[in-house]
Amino acid sequence: MRRWGTDKTVASQNPKSRFISVDISEDSINEAKTLISSKGIENVEFQVADIFNLPFEDDYFDHIFLCFVLEHLPNPEQALKLLKTKIKQNGTITLIEGDHGSTYFHPESEHAKKAIQCQVDLQKKSGGDANIGRKLFPILESSGFQEIVVLPRQVYVDDSNPRWVEGFTKNTFTAMIKGVKEEAISNGLISEESFERGINDLYQTAMGGGTFCYTFFKGTGVKK
């Protein structure tokens, strides 16, 4: 069985399947190789390739899995149509994408909302879509997939789960928004003072009494 796109969890739980992990970045591939090797996982091979020019014949894969890929593409529908040609008849596809418009938190902060919007605007400027999660059904449908199912996967974090407070609210989401600071300011999207206040307010949602909520979307489809 051939599957395109994976991680250490999926591969280790399916030792009888063969996985091919593809990324356009050689650095990312090398990092993944090191991680997989350290876990003693032997059913994954790696290739550096462009999603729009994959080195695989048609009807090659049983299943294709994409996670946080479509949000970076200016033409996600075209990408899915090309991927569909690489899937066997009755093969399947799984997509996981986020949606920044689903972000809710307490305490409320207009500065935090503006900082988040900077990331959305910058991604749109580069051809991507940080709110693509809500669009998975129509994108899959227009790409020709059938038996489509899209489900929301909500992440809700409060003081009762300090591991998620640290791992998701602070070190994943807030860190991602913080990473666009210089670009957001240089593009005139926000003042440095407002951005910094927004980041500080996001950190406040990870303090005592704060809450944070974000929704990912999982979409599946079948090639008929």
Side-chain angles (χ1 to χ4, degrees), residues 81-105:
K81 286 180 177 179
L82 288 171
L83 290 174
K84 184 169 173 280
T85 67
K86 306 299 180 183
I87 301 174
K88 296 177 181 178
Q89 198 72 11
N90 295 314
T92 53
I93 192 168
T94 297
L95 312 173
I96 296 179
E97 297 287 345
D99 192 314
H100 282 21
S102 70
T103 309
Y104 297 96
F105 43 83

Side-chain angles (χ1 to χ4, degrees), residues 57-76:
E57 61 191 39
D58 289 352
D59 305 318
Y60 188 77
F61 294 102
D62 299 291
H63 181 77
I64 288 180
F65 173 72
L66 281 81
C67 186
F68 311 139
V69 174
L70 297 183
E71 65 174 301
H72 299 290
L73 304 179
N75 42 7

Side-chain angles (χ1 to χ4, degrees), residues 106-107 169 174 197-211:
H106 171 78
T169 306
T174 303
R197 183 168 174 182
I199 294 299
N200 288 335
D201 287 351
L202 282 175
Y203 280 128
Q204 286 298 313
T205 71
M207 304 295 284
T211 64

